Amino acid sequence: MRWRKTKPGEAPAAPRSTRSRMLIAALCGAAGVLAFAPFGWWPLQILSLAVLVYQALRAESVRAAALVGWAFGFGWCLAGFHWLYIAIHQFGGMPAPLAAIAIALLAAAMALYAAGAMASTAWLRKRWPLPLPAATLLVLPACWALFELLRGWLFTGFPWVTAGYAHNTSPLAGYAPLLGVYGISWLAAITAGALPLLMHPFRYKAIALVAAIWLGGLALGRVEWTAPSGKPLTVRLVQGNIALKNKFDIQHIGDTLRQYQQAVTAQPADLIAIPETGVPLFASQLPTGYLDAYGQFARRTGSHIVLGMPMTNGVEYSNSVLGLPPSLAVSAYRYDKHHLVPFGEFIPTGFRWFTNLMQIPLGDQTRGAVIQAPFPVKDQKVLPNICYENVFGEEIAEQIALTGATVMLNVSELAWYGDSIAIPQHLQMSQMRALETGRPMLSATNSGATVVISPRGEVLHALPYRQPGVLSATVQGMSGDTPYIRLQNKLFLALAALSLGAAWLWSRQRRG
């Protein structure tokens, strides 16, 4: 089916080559990063995806559609997480050319998911066969979101710059408590698929569908899925802004330990937290009485203290947080990170040669349990997660469903990525977790973003980036389950399956 009919006497336009389609797709994919934080031009996410829809479905073959999708994904991913270069070159010590090649290869690998989405759409359109509206409104959005979910799961997952994150402030954010970030990706893809239909006879129905989706998001944004639980907590989140070159340097560790201890013990609060590896040594390596000084302060003031630090049993070690309660009758709390960063926290099979090219401390760790109890703080249940774990919404939702946590706490060390877009993007993901679960999110980081986020995904309080400070606030815990907490991605998967089923029925009716 042609997208545009030629006028009488008008020669048909020469078909665009696959290479030119790939170039257009790659440029649009790279431009799509402007839809995410810190830029926040979320309409650009839909427009760039609409260009991909147009170029991929006009490709001459399934293979050509896959190549166009791959080019889009390469531009999207390279622009979206180019900042990894800072970690592996500046701090990891990998030579600049090798670091650049590594980032390009990672983007090329992640682009295969976009290639799979476009190839699947083109193949199904030819296999069934499908009219254009069925392909752009039913099949392509489902394939796009399903392959994004696959990218966030396969080989431990790398769901950075998932399309739905661009919409944490758009009307589609109202769907987060129901469908999560992948469901929002699906709805955004439906909108993108409708744009090329504006010159098609089906355009009025497509416009009506998109209007219903976006008005529905506005209405859902007014729904209160959770309710206040217990009394508010006073919190203090410490941002040390310790330079990474000093953090693990034996000559400067003493200064780091003193800085955090002084900040924590300067004033009491119900909950006081320092960042991931804020204490960069194992307990056995710390000065005598160091941890006990925190415990004494906690007991004297009634404070609950969370320290990010590595933990070991002498053989294995983990990236952990230690929770010190204000009572000797209560055991110390421990949370071990379970979703580890490939190459940074564990070494994938066959890639030790790659990690040997870098000098990143604490590089091969032990995973904690998937479900771990929250830290009881007065009548609230505080659920920690560490840095990269914040990217996996379905895992956090499952933890809340099974533990009844009322507050989320993320501790992170993001100085690895310098002054880059990684920090506001990580914050954007924290905002999505709050939207999905209807719970406040606290974030304590070394250099930013140290923030308090409301259950509606709004940043209520924040410290300036790259400055030492302490963020003091009052936070209300929330209880009750959003649909996403109960079902995680199951509702989105069911709707995506229904969408594909509807396309198949549409094709059957046409053939019948």
Side-chain angles (χ1 to χ4, degrees):
M1 177 185 292
R2 292 187 183 275
W3 292 71
R4 181 180 66 86
K5 294 182 179 179
T6 56
K7 297 178 181 178
E10 180 184 4
R16 182 173 281 124
S17 69
T18 299
R19 287 185 179 181
S20 63
R21 293 192 192 280
M22 290 176 66
L23 177 60
I24 293 170
L27 293 173
C28 286
V33 75
L34 299 175
F36 298 90
F39 313 103
W41 302 347
W42 58 261
L44 193 58
Q45 185 275 315
I46 293 171
L47 291 174
S48 64
L49 189 56
V51 174
L52 173 62
V53 172
Y54 182 83
Q55 296 297 335
L57 292 186
R58 290 198 60 150
E60 293 77 12
S61 64
V62 173
R63 178 180 177 275
L67 289 172
V68 172
W70 180 87
F72 181 91
F74 180 75
W76 178 279
C77 292
L78 190 64
F81 43 77
H82 67 276
W83 41 264
L84 285 169
Y85 174 88
I86 300 171
I88 64 176
H89 169 59
Q90 182 175 336
F91 297 115
M94 182 178 287
L98 290 179
I101 291 171
I103 299 305
L105 289 175
L106 175 63
M110 294 298 102
L112 293 174
Y113 294 98
M118 296 305 107
S120 298
T121 300
W123 183 81
L124 287 173
R125 187 185 179 197
K126 183 178 294 186
R127 169 83 176 178
W128 279 346
L130 292 172
L132 187 62
T136 62
L137 298 177
L138 296 176
V139 174
L140 188 144
C143 290
W144 173 264
L146 287 170
F147 272 89
E148 281 209 313
L149 186 149
L150 191 63
R151 177 162 68 92
W153 171 76
L154 198 60
F155 307 121
T156 78
F158 190 56
W160 208 273
V161 289
T162 294
Y165 285 120
H167 296 278
N168 71 303
T169 58
S170 88
L172 293 183
Y175 290 97
L178 281 84
L179 302 176
V181 69
Y182 297 113
I184 294 176
S185 291
W186 172 59
L187 295 171
I190 292 175
T191 305
L195 292 182
L197 296 177
L198 293 179
M199 300 301 293
H200 190 277
F202 200 82
R203 59 183 174 273
Y204 297 113
K205 294 179 181 178
I207 291 171
L209 174 62
V210 170
I213 288 172
W214 287 75
L215 290 174
L218 288 171
L220 288 169
R222 298 177 177 272
V223 177
E224 299 289 344
W225 298 98
T226 56
S229 174
K231 295 180 180 179
L233 297 177
T234 57
V235 301
R236 298 179 66 240
L237 308 175
V238 182
Q239 179 172 290
N241 196 40
I242 307 295
L244 280 181
K245 65 180 181 179
N246 298 333
K247 184 172 182 177
F248 298 99
D249 185 339
I250 193 65
Q251 295 181 349
H252 295 89
I253 282 179
D255 294 334
T256 298
L257 296 177
R258 282 189 295 273
Q259 180 176 336
Y260 274 115
Q261 189 174 72
Q262 290 170 2
V264 168
T265 59
Q267 185 178 337
D270 295 329
L271 175 65
I272 306 173
I274 71 171
E276 173 189 17
T277 61
V279 176
L281 299 176
F282 298 120
S284 60
Q285 298 171 317
L286 292 170
T288 302
Y290 182 78
L291 288 179
D292 189 54
Y294 282 110
Q296 291 177 12
F297 175 79
R299 293 188 291 274
R300 186 171 66 250
T301 63
S303 302
H304 298 71
I305 301 174
V306 170
L307 305 175
M309 60 183 293
M311 307 286 282
T312 183
N313 59 9
V315 179
E316 300 174 328
Y317 62 89
S318 60
N319 189 354
S320 306
V321 299
L322 175 67
L324 301 176
S327 172
L328 283 172
V330 180
S331 299
Y333 171 84
R334 175 174 170 176
Y335 173 87
D336 298 330
K337 187 176 184 181
H338 73 271
H339 207 126
L340 304 181
V341 180
F343 307 108
E345 293 175 327
F346 81 95
I347 302 173
T349 302
F351 281 91
R352 183 166 291 277
W353 63 271
F354 180 80
T355 55
N356 287 342
L357 295 173
M358 299 183 286
Q359 297 86 45
I360 295 179
L362 306 177
D364 197 5
Q365 303 171 11
T366 300
R367 290 179 172 84
V370 174
I371 305 299
Q372 301 178 56
F375 183 30
V377 180
K378 293 194 169 181
D379 54 0
Q380 302 296 337
K381 298 178 180 180
V382 179
L383 180 67
N385 61 81
I386 299 177
C387 197
Y388 182 64
E389 291 182 312
N390 205 36
V391 181
F392 300 92
E394 63 277 17
E395 294 179 3
I396 290 177
E398 182 183 17
Q399 290 175 306
I400 292 175
L402 295 176
T403 66
T406 58
V407 177
M408 297 179 289
L409 169 64
N410 176 264
V411 296
S412 294
E413 173 55 276
L414 300 176
W416 294 106
Y417 311 114
D419 184 16
S420 72
I421 62 175
I423 287 80
Q425 285 179 352
H426 189 266
L427 170 58
Q428 193 170 41
M429 295 176 188
S430 294
Q431 292 174 278
M432 185 60 70
R433 301 292 85 84
L435 285 165
E436 289 170 345
T437 63
R439 272 139 175 93
M441 170 72 83
L442 313 177
S443 181
T445 70
N446 177 33
S447 57
T450 298
V451 298
V452 173
I453 302 171
S454 78
R456 302 185 70 84
E458 303 158 330
V459 176
L460 300 178
H461 310 281
L463 289 179
Y465 291 1
R466 299 176 300 283
Q467 295 181 23
V470 179
L471 179 60
S472 298
T474 300
V475 176
Q476 174 63 62
M478 305 294 283
S479 63
D481 290 347
T482 63
Y484 188 74
I485 288 176
R486 296 193 192 100
L487 301 172
Q488 288 96 60
N489 291 318
K490 296 182 183 67
L491 182 55
F492 152 66
L493 288 170
L495 291 173
L498 284 173
S499 180
L500 293 173
W504 177 77
L505 289 174
W506 194 337
S507 71
R508 295 274 294 184
Q509 290 176 353
R510 291 185 78 222
R511 284 181 286 178

